[in-house]
Amino acid sequence: MSRVIYMDYAATTPVDPRVAHRMSGCLLVEGNFGNPASRSHVYGWRAEEAVEEARGQVAALLNADPREIVWTSGATESDNLAIKGVAAGSRRRHLVTSRIEHKAVIDTCRFLETQGFEVTWLNPGSDGRVSADAVAAVLRPDTLLVSLMHVNNETGVINDLAAIGAVCRSAGVLFHTDAAQSAGKVPIDVRTMPVDLISLSAHKM
């Protein structure tokens, strides 16, 4: 069989052999297979240590506090948790996103429209990006959240999170970004970047 050149890394990536080796040690009875929530025996203790080590590694990637890292099944669940979690119980009923977001964000915002939220759907500029000025122009006193991706999964354009986040901060609006395409490829520092919620996915790295 001829060697295949795979060019769809924006959709998913093969697991790095080093990661596969570490993960294989968590699947078999001879390895670290325990439930990390089981605090009454050594198998659970070892599993918890492995989970917390991984949490620290993800935090280091973002310059975040490990306590800020929440595990989900992937970016779709992470997007849903971030957006719906912020919306739950809020008196502010206005959200801002764009028409070129990942389906996970679009579907979540469409669902919230059925729950009485109003969503402003921004169009990208001629360069494919959503500008901070475009965001600033649609913010309102009842705006709760802006959700815009960092790197677009189809075009590869990079939104200026620093500028967009600064606009949100000055208006007292939360800012969520889906960084599934950028994490591990573009530097992300949540200590200096004005982002409140960020979604990642391991299978893109």
Side-chain angles (χ1 to χ4, degrees):
M1 178 179 173
S2 61
R3 183 176 177 82
V4 174
I5 299 176
Y6 179 75
M7 300 182 68
D8 199 17
Y9 275 72
T12 194
T13 65
V15 176
D16 185 292
R18 294 166 295 179
V19 176
H21 177 72
R22 287 293 300 272
M23 288 303 298
S24 67
C26 299
L27 301 176
L28 304 175
V29 69
E30 297 85 1
N32 190 3
F33 68 91
N35 185 333
S38 296
R39 305 286 176 79
S40 59
H41 52 71
V42 68
Y43 298 102
W45 303 336
R46 290 174 180 168
E48 183 180 22
E49 288 177 1
V51 168
E52 293 310 313
E53 179 186 2
R55 192 188 309 276
Q57 291 169 334
V58 173
L61 178 68
L62 306 174
N63 194 26
D65 187 314
R67 294 171 296 181
E68 297 173 311
I69 306 302
V70 177
W71 298 121
T72 65
S73 62
T76 294
E77 183 183 354
S78 180
D79 287 336
N80 272 264
L81 179 62
I83 299 170
K84 291 177 181 175
V86 165
S90 175
R91 294 183 179 180
R92 295 189 184 187
R93 310 293 284 181
H94 178 234
L95 309 173
V96 178
T97 189
S98 83
R99 298 188 184 278
I100 59 169
E101 296 304 301
H102 189 276
K103 192 172 185 293
V105 169
I106 290 175
D107 285 353
T108 302
C109 289
R110 284 178 175 162
F111 167 77
L112 288 173
E113 283 182 316
T114 70
Q115 305 302 303
F117 284 82
E118 183 180 350
V119 179
T120 295
W121 300 90
L122 296 174
N123 291 312
S126 59
D127 60 357
R129 295 171 174 83
V130 177
S131 70
D133 288 342
V135 172
V138 299
L139 295 183
R140 311 183 326 204
D142 65 334
T143 302
L144 170 65
L145 175 74
V146 172
S147 180
L148 295 169
M149 61 173 51
H150 190 188
V151 175
N152 187 276
N153 57 299
E154 295 182 350
T155 66
V157 299
I158 304 175
N159 282 321
D160 187 347
L161 296 191
I164 296 170
V167 166
C168 293
R169 286 282 166 90
S170 66
V173 173
L174 295 173
F175 182 31
H176 164 254
T177 188
D178 183 330
Q181 295 295 342
S182 58
K185 306 175 187 74
V186 177
I188 299 174
D189 185 342
V190 297
R191 289 284 167 264
T192 60
M193 189 178 289
V195 173
D196 300 293
L197 300 151
I198 184 168
S199 300
L200 311 179
S201 184
H203 79 99
K204 301 276 189 173
M205 299 182 189

Short mmCIF file of all heavy atoms in Angstrom, two decimals, residues 83-120:
data_model
loop_
_atom_site.label_atom_id
_atom_site.label_comp_id
_atom_site.label_asym_id
_atom_site.label_seq_id
_atom_site.Cartn_x
_atom_site.Cartn_y
_atom_site.Cartn_z
N ILE A 83 -21.64 28.34 27.17
CA ILE A 83 -22.69 29.27 26.75
C ILE A 83 -23.98 29.06 27.55
O ILE A 83 -24.56 30.01 28.09
CB ILE A 83 -22.95 29.13 25.24
CG1 ILE A 83 -21.68 29.47 24.46
CG2 ILE A 83 -24.10 30.04 24.80
CD1 ILE A 83 -21.74 29.14 22.98
N LYS A 84 -24.42 27.82 27.66
CA LYS A 84 -25.65 27.56 28.42
C LYS A 84 -25.44 27.80 29.91
O LYS A 84 -26.35 28.24 30.61
CB LYS A 84 -26.12 26.13 28.18
CG LYS A 84 -26.63 25.87 26.77
CD LYS A 84 -27.02 24.41 26.60
CE LYS A 84 -27.50 24.11 25.19
NZ LYS A 84 -27.77 22.67 24.99
N GLY A 85 -24.24 27.50 30.38
CA GLY A 85 -23.96 27.72 31.79
C GLY A 85 -24.04 29.18 32.18
O GLY A 85 -24.58 29.53 33.23
N VAL A 86 -23.51 30.05 31.32
CA VAL A 86 -23.58 31.48 31.58
C VAL A 86 -25.02 31.97 31.47
O VAL A 86 -25.48 32.83 32.24
CB VAL A 86 -22.67 32.24 30.58
CG1 VAL A 86 -22.99 33.73 30.57
CG2 VAL A 86 -21.20 32.02 30.94
N ALA A 87 -25.75 31.41 30.51
CA ALA A 87 -27.12 31.87 30.26
C ALA A 87 -28.09 31.46 31.36
O ALA A 87 -29.07 32.17 31.63
CB ALA A 87 -27.61 31.33 28.92
N ALA A 88 -27.81 30.34 32.01
CA ALA A 88 -28.75 29.81 33.00
C ALA A 88 -28.99 30.81 34.13
O ALA A 88 -28.06 31.20 34.84
CB ALA A 88 -28.21 28.50 33.57
N GLY A 89 -30.21 31.21 34.28
CA GLY A 89 -30.59 32.09 35.38
C GLY A 89 -30.22 33.55 35.20
O GLY A 89 -30.46 34.36 36.10
N SER A 90 -29.65 33.91 34.05
CA SER A 90 -29.24 35.30 33.86
C SER A 90 -30.42 36.18 33.47
O SER A 90 -31.30 35.77 32.70
CB SER A 90 -28.16 35.38 32.77
OG SER A 90 -27.84 36.74 32.50
N ARG A 91 -30.41 37.40 33.97
CA ARG A 91 -31.44 38.36 33.57
C ARG A 91 -31.09 39.04 32.25
O ARG A 91 -31.96 39.59 31.58
CB ARG A 91 -31.63 39.41 34.66
CG ARG A 91 -32.20 38.84 35.96
CD ARG A 91 -32.42 39.93 36.99
NE ARG A 91 -33.00 39.38 38.22
CZ ARG A 91 -33.30 40.11 39.29
NH1 ARG A 91 -33.06 41.42 39.28
NH2 ARG A 91 -33.82 39.54 40.36
N ARG A 92 -29.82 39.03 31.91
CA ARG A 92 -29.42 39.56 30.60
C ARG A 92 -29.78 38.53 29.54
O ARG A 92 -29.47 37.35 29.69
CB ARG A 92 -27.93 39.85 30.57
CG ARG A 92 -27.49 40.95 31.52
CD ARG A 92 -26.04 41.31 31.26
NE ARG A 92 -25.52 42.29 32.19
CZ ARG A 92 -24.31 42.86 32.09
NH1 ARG A 92 -23.51 42.52 31.09
NH2 ARG A 92 -23.92 43.75 32.97
N ARG A 93 -30.38 38.97 28.46
CA ARG A 93 -30.93 38.02 27.48
C ARG A 93 -30.41 38.25 26.07
O ARG A 93 -31.02 37.80 25.11
CB ARG A 93 -32.47 38.12 27.47
CG ARG A 93 -33.12 38.05 28.83
CD ARG A 93 -32.97 36.70 29.48
NE ARG A 93 -33.87 35.70 28.91
CZ ARG A 93 -33.93 34.44 29.32
NH1 ARG A 93 -33.14 34.02 30.30
NH2 ARG A 93 -34.77 33.59 28.76
N HIS A 94 -29.27 38.91 25.95
CA HIS A 94 -28.72 39.19 24.62
C HIS A 94 -27.34 38.56 24.47
O HIS A 94 -26.47 38.72 25.33
CB HIS A 94 -28.61 40.71 24.39
CG HIS A 94 -28.02 41.08 23.07
ND1 HIS A 94 -26.93 41.91 22.93
CD2 HIS A 94 -28.37 40.71 21.80
CE1 HIS A 94 -26.64 42.06 21.65
NE2 HIS A 94 -27.49 41.34 20.94
N LEU A 95 -27.16 37.81 23.39
CA LEU A 95 -25.90 37.16 23.08
C LEU A 95 -25.39 37.64 21.73
O LEU A 95 -26.17 38.02 20.86
CB LEU A 95 -26.08 35.63 23.02
CG LEU A 95 -26.78 34.96 24.20
CD1 LEU A 95 -27.03 33.49 23.88
CD2 LEU A 95 -25.97 35.11 25.47
N VAL A 96 -24.07 37.60 21.57
CA VAL A 96 -23.45 38.00 20.30
C VAL A 96 -22.54 36.88 19.83
O VAL A 96 -21.71 36.37 20.60
CB VAL A 96 -22.62 39.30 20.45
CG1 VAL A 96 -21.95 39.65 19.12
CG2 VAL A 96 -23.51 40.44 20.92
N THR A 97 -22.69 36.48 18.58
CA THR A 97 -21.80 35.50 17.97
C THR A 97 -21.72 35.82 16.48
O THR A 97 -22.17 36.87 16.04
CB THR A 97 -22.30 34.06 18.23
OG1 THR A 97 -21.29 33.13 17.81
CG2 THR A 97 -23.60 33.76 17.52
N SER A 98 -21.13 34.92 15.70
CA SER A 98 -21.03 35.19 14.26
C SER A 98 -21.62 34.04 13.46
O SER A 98 -21.86 32.95 13.98
CB SER A 98 -19.57 35.41 13.85
OG SER A 98 -18.90 34.18 13.65
N ARG A 99 -21.83 34.31 12.20
CA ARG A 99 -22.43 33.30 11.31
C ARG A 99 -21.41 32.27 10.84
O ARG A 99 -21.79 31.31 10.16
CB ARG A 99 -23.07 33.99 10.10
CG ARG A 99 -24.20 34.93 10.47
CD ARG A 99 -24.95 35.44 9.26
NE ARG A 99 -25.96 36.41 9.64
CZ ARG A 99 -27.18 36.09 10.09
NH1 ARG A 99 -27.51 34.82 10.22
NH2 ARG A 99 -28.05 37.03 10.41
N ILE A 100 -20.14 32.44 11.20
CA ILE A 100 -19.12 31.50 10.75
C ILE A 100 -18.52 30.71 11.92
O ILE A 100 -17.43 30.16 11.81
CB ILE A 100 -18.00 32.22 9.97
CG1 ILE A 100 -17.33 33.29 10.84
CG2 ILE A 100 -18.54 32.81 8.68
CD1 ILE A 100 -16.06 33.86 10.22
N GLU A 101 -19.27 30.64 13.01
CA GLU A 101 -18.80 29.85 14.16
C GLU A 101 -18.94 28.35 13.87
O GLU A 101 -19.63 27.93 12.94
CB GLU A 101 -19.60 30.21 15.41
CG GLU A 101 -19.42 31.63 15.87
CD GLU A 101 -17.96 31.98 16.12
OE1 GLU A 101 -17.32 31.32 16.96
OE2 GLU A 101 -17.47 32.91 15.47
N HIS A 102 -18.31 27.56 14.71
CA HIS A 102 -18.48 26.12 14.64
C HIS A 102 -19.94 25.78 14.94
O HIS A 102 -20.62 26.49 15.69
CB HIS A 102 -17.56 25.42 15.64
CG HIS A 102 -17.51 23.94 15.49
ND1 HIS A 102 -18.46 23.11 16.06
CD2 HIS A 102 -16.64 23.13 14.83
CE1 HIS A 102 -18.17 21.85 15.77
NE2 HIS A 102 -17.08 21.83 15.02
N LYS A 103 -20.41 24.69 14.37
CA LYS A 103 -21.81 24.28 14.54
C LYS A 103 -22.19 24.13 16.01
O LYS A 103 -23.34 24.36 16.39
CB LYS A 103 -22.05 22.97 13.80
CG LYS A 103 -23.51 22.57 13.64
CD LYS A 103 -23.63 21.36 12.73
CE LYS A 103 -25.09 21.02 12.46
NZ LYS A 103 -25.80 20.55 13.66
N ALA A 104 -21.23 23.76 16.85
CA ALA A 104 -21.52 23.59 18.27
C ALA A 104 -21.97 24.90 18.90
O ALA A 104 -22.86 24.91 19.76
CB ALA A 104 -20.29 23.05 19.00
N VAL A 105 -21.37 26.01 18.49
CA VAL A 105 -21.76 27.32 19.01
C VAL A 105 -23.06 27.79 18.36
O VAL A 105 -23.96 28.30 19.02
CB VAL A 105 -20.63 28.34 18.80
CG1 VAL A 105 -21.10 29.76 19.10
CG2 VAL A 105 -19.43 27.99 19.68
N ILE A 106 -23.15 27.62 17.04
CA ILE A 106 -24.35 28.06 16.33
C ILE A 106 -25.59 27.35 16.86
O ILE A 106 -26.61 27.98 17.14
CB ILE A 106 -24.18 27.83 14.81
CG1 ILE A 106 -23.15 28.82 14.25
CG2 ILE A 106 -25.52 27.98 14.08
CD1 ILE A 106 -22.81 28.60 12.79
N ASP A 107 -25.50 26.03 16.99
CA ASP A 107 -26.66 25.27 17.47
C ASP A 107 -27.04 25.65 18.90
O ASP A 107 -28.23 25.71 19.24
CB ASP A 107 -26.38 23.77 17.40
CG ASP A 107 -26.43 23.23 15.98
OD1 ASP A 107 -26.82 23.98 15.06
OD2 ASP A 107 -26.07 22.05 15.78
N THR A 108 -26.05 25.91 19.73
CA THR A 108 -26.33 26.30 21.12
C THR A 108 -27.03 27.65 21.16
O THR A 108 -28.00 27.84 21.91
CB THR A 108 -25.03 26.34 21.93
OG1 THR A 108 -24.40 25.06 21.89
CG2 THR A 108 -25.30 26.71 23.38
N CYS A 109 -26.56 28.59 20.35
CA CYS A 109 -27.19 29.91 20.33
C CYS A 109 -28.60 29.84 19.74
O CYS A 109 -29.52 30.53 20.21
CB CYS A 109 -26.32 30.88 19.54
SG CYS A 109 -24.80 31.36 20.40
N ARG A 110 -28.77 29.00 18.73
CA ARG A 110 -30.13 28.83 18.17
C ARG A 110 -31.07 28.23 19.20
O ARG A 110 -32.25 28.61 19.28
CB ARG A 110 -30.06 27.96 16.92
CG ARG A 110 -29.52 28.70 15.70
CD ARG A 110 -29.43 27.79 14.49
NE ARG A 110 -29.01 28.54 13.30
CZ ARG A 110 -28.52 27.98 12.20
NH1 ARG A 110 -28.39 26.66 12.13
NH2 ARG A 110 -28.18 28.72 11.17
N PHE A 111 -30.57 27.29 19.99
CA PHE A 111 -31.39 26.72 21.05
C PHE A 111 -31.80 27.81 22.04
O PHE A 111 -32.97 27.88 22.46
CB PHE A 111 -30.64 25.61 21.78
CG PHE A 111 -31.29 25.20 23.07
CD1 PHE A 111 -32.42 24.39 23.08
CD2 PHE A 111 -30.78 25.64 24.29
CE1 PHE A 111 -33.03 24.03 24.27
CE2 PHE A 111 -31.39 25.28 25.48
CZ PHE A 111 -32.52 24.48 25.47
N LEU A 112 -30.85 28.66 22.42
CA LEU A 112 -31.16 29.70 23.40
C LEU A 112 -32.15 30.72 22.83
O LEU A 112 -32.91 31.33 23.60
CB LEU A 112 -29.87 30.38 23.87
CG LEU A 112 -29.00 29.52 24.78
CD1 LEU A 112 -27.67 30.20 25.07
CD2 LEU A 112 -29.73 29.19 26.09
N GLU A 113 -32.16 30.89 21.52
CA GLU A 113 -33.18 31.75 20.91
C GLU A 113 -34.58 31.20 21.20
O GLU A 113 -35.53 31.97 21.40
CB GLU A 113 -32.96 31.87 19.41
CG GLU A 113 -31.82 32.81 19.03
CD GLU A 113 -31.66 32.95 17.53
OE1 GLU A 113 -31.71 31.92 16.81
OE2 GLU A 113 -31.47 34.09 17.06
N THR A 114 -34.71 29.88 21.22
CA THR A 114 -36.02 29.28 21.52
C THR A 114 -36.38 29.42 22.99
O THR A 114 -37.53 29.19 23.37
CB THR A 114 -36.04 27.78 21.15
OG1 THR A 114 -35.22 27.04 22.06
CG2 THR A 114 -35.57 27.56 19.72
N GLN A 115 -35.39 29.81 23.81
CA GLN A 115 -35.62 29.98 25.25
C GLN A 115 -35.79 31.45 25.63
O GLN A 115 -35.74 31.79 26.81
CB GLN A 115 -34.45 29.37 26.03
CG GLN A 115 -34.17 27.91 25.71
CD GLN A 115 -35.37 27.02 25.95
OE1 GLN A 115 -35.90 26.97 27.06
NE2 GLN A 115 -35.81 26.30 24.92
N GLY A 116 -35.96 32.30 24.63
CA GLY A 116 -36.22 33.71 24.90
C GLY A 116 -35.02 34.62 24.81
O GLY A 116 -35.13 35.83 25.06
N PHE A 117 -33.85 34.09 24.44
CA PHE A 117 -32.68 34.93 24.27
C PHE A 117 -32.68 35.54 22.87
O PHE A 117 -33.16 34.93 21.91
CB PHE A 117 -31.39 34.13 24.47
CG PHE A 117 -31.09 33.83 25.91
CD1 PHE A 117 -31.71 32.76 26.55
CD2 PHE A 117 -30.21 34.62 26.63
CE1 PHE A 117 -31.44 32.48 27.89
CE2 PHE A 117 -29.93 34.35 27.96
CZ PHE A 117 -30.56 33.28 28.59
N GLU A 118 -32.13 36.73 22.76
CA GLU A 118 -31.94 37.37 21.46
C GLU A 118 -30.46 37.25 21.09
O GLU A 118 -29.59 37.56 21.90
CB GLU A 118 -32.34 38.84 21.51
CG GLU A 118 -32.23 39.54 20.16
CD GLU A 118 -32.64 41.00 20.22
OE1 GLU A 118 -33.21 41.43 21.26
OE2 GLU A 118 -32.38 41.72 19.23
N VAL A 119 -30.20 36.79 19.88
CA VAL A 119 -28.83 36.60 19.42
C VAL A 119 -28.55 37.53 18.25
O VAL A 119 -29.32 37.58 17.28
CB VAL A 119 -28.57 35.14 18.98
CG1 VAL A 119 -27.13 34.98 18.49
CG2 VAL A 119 -28.85 34.18 20.14
N THR A 120 -27.48 38.29 18.34
CA THR A 120 -27.01 39.08 17.21
C THR A 120 -25.97 38.26 16.46
O THR A 120 -24.96 37.84 17.04
CB THR A 120 -26.38 40.41 17.68
OG1 THR A 120 -27.40 41.21 18.29
CG2 THR A 120 -25.79 41.17 16.49
#
